[in-house]
Amino acid sequence: METDKSTEQKILDAAKKVFVAKGMAGARMQDIADEAGINKALLHYYFRSKEKLFEVIFTGTVGRFIPRVNEIFSSDMSWQEKIETFSSEYIDKVLENPFLPLFVMNEMHKQPEEFLKKMWGGEKPKIGKFLKQLEKAIEEKEIRPIHPAHLIMNVMSLCIFPFIGKPMLQMIAGVNDQQFFQLMQERKLLVPQFIIQALKI
């Protein structure tokens, strides 16, 4: 039993690397078997197809986080709390799964419609309540006017780019993995503070 779990985890770790490097369309079962250090027959014993393997990885990472995103933005939290909660939980999720940003970005560019449908379960993100909160805050002159798309881009880029640009950051700033982890912990507070402060009149 322990051997089975160890082999399966080795396969999943290898598949993540291959899917990130080559995308869903470009990845081959042989590539994954080679990365895992096993033969292709053993790989097929655990996972019958590349699609099934992709589904397991996807569901175990992105698939579990997406419902949480909808839960955050459709909740009764204030708009500020929603930005704070999303930023913190997104950064935590990516620290647990460093391959995630490149994986999602690659798939979105290679097969955008198919991947986004799979990612959101065929539905659009449930951000209607959040947008209404922003509209109200603008109307009441609590915050400066801003197009929702700009706000979404600001939050996403401030949370996502550090992970995509990690090698460059480490080279320029001389940051090691442990220091990068600490910076990301600090960023869970800094990102929402920066966004919210920038919106204030």
Side-chain angles (χ1 to χ4, degrees):
M1 186 67 72
E2 289 300 321
T3 302
D4 285 348
K5 287 183 179 179
S6 175
T7 302
E8 184 172 330
Q9 190 57 53
K10 189 185 294 185
I11 291 170
L12 292 172
D13 290 342
K16 287 177 185 179
K17 290 182 182 178
V18 174
F19 283 138
V20 168
K22 301 188 176 183
M24 170 61 180
R28 298 181 304 130
M29 290 294 269
Q30 187 62 59
D31 297 328
I32 296 168
D34 291 343
E35 181 67 35
I38 61 174
N39 60 54
K40 195 174 175 181
L42 184 58
L43 175 58
H44 279 284
Y45 171 78
Y46 282 92
F47 298 96
R48 293 182 182 178
S49 67
K50 177 178 71 172
E51 288 71 24
K52 180 61 179 175
L53 185 50
F54 180 88
E55 197 72 34
V56 170
I57 293 173
F58 181 83
T59 303
T61 51
V62 179
R64 281 206 300 261
F65 186 58
I66 293 305
R68 177 58 182 154
V69 172
N70 282 333
E71 183 182 320
I72 291 168
F73 285 102
S74 59
S75 73
D76 291 329
M77 288 188 281
S78 68
W79 65 268
Q80 297 99 321
E81 290 172 323
K82 289 177 181 180
I83 292 174
E84 290 166 354
T85 304
F86 172 80
S87 300
S88 178
E89 294 194 20
Y90 177 85
I91 290 172
D92 275 339
K93 176 60 68 175
V94 180
L95 284 171
E96 292 170 10
N97 303 275
F99 75 96
L100 199 56
L102 281 175
F103 177 68
V104 171
M105 189 172 68
N106 287 339
E107 291 307 308
M108 279 197 301
H109 283 286
K110 289 174 183 174
Q111 42 185 356
E113 289 186 18
E114 181 182 338
F115 181 74
L116 288 173
K117 281 180 183 177
K118 184 179 290 187
M119 189 163 111
W120 289 99
E123 299 179 358
K124 288 187 176 180
K126 297 176 181 178
I127 60 171
K129 191 169 185 176
F130 176 68
L131 296 181
K132 286 181 180 178
Q133 288 175 306
L134 286 179
E135 287 175 9
K136 184 179 178 183
I138 292 170
E139 286 174 7
E140 295 179 353
K141 300 193 184 303
E142 179 186 346
I143 60 174
R144 66 183 73 251
I146 184 172
H147 193 292
H150 281 302
L151 180 57
I152 292 167
M153 283 190 286
N154 288 344
V155 174
M156 288 177 61
S157 60
L158 287 169
C159 288
I160 296 171
F161 183 76
F163 293 98
I164 295 174
K166 180 184 174 185
M168 181 173 64
L169 171 66
Q170 289 186 307
M171 181 186 70
I172 294 173
V175 175
N176 61 34
D177 286 343
Q178 185 176 356
Q179 291 168 326
F180 178 82
F181 179 85
Q182 184 56 44
L183 286 171
M184 294 305 101
Q185 293 297 326
E186 295 169 6
R187 202 163 181 79
K188 290 192 292 185
L189 296 175
L190 291 175
V191 168
Q193 286 174 359
F194 181 83
I195 294 288
I196 293 167
Q197 189 61 40
L199 289 174
K200 289 182 178 179
I201 294 176

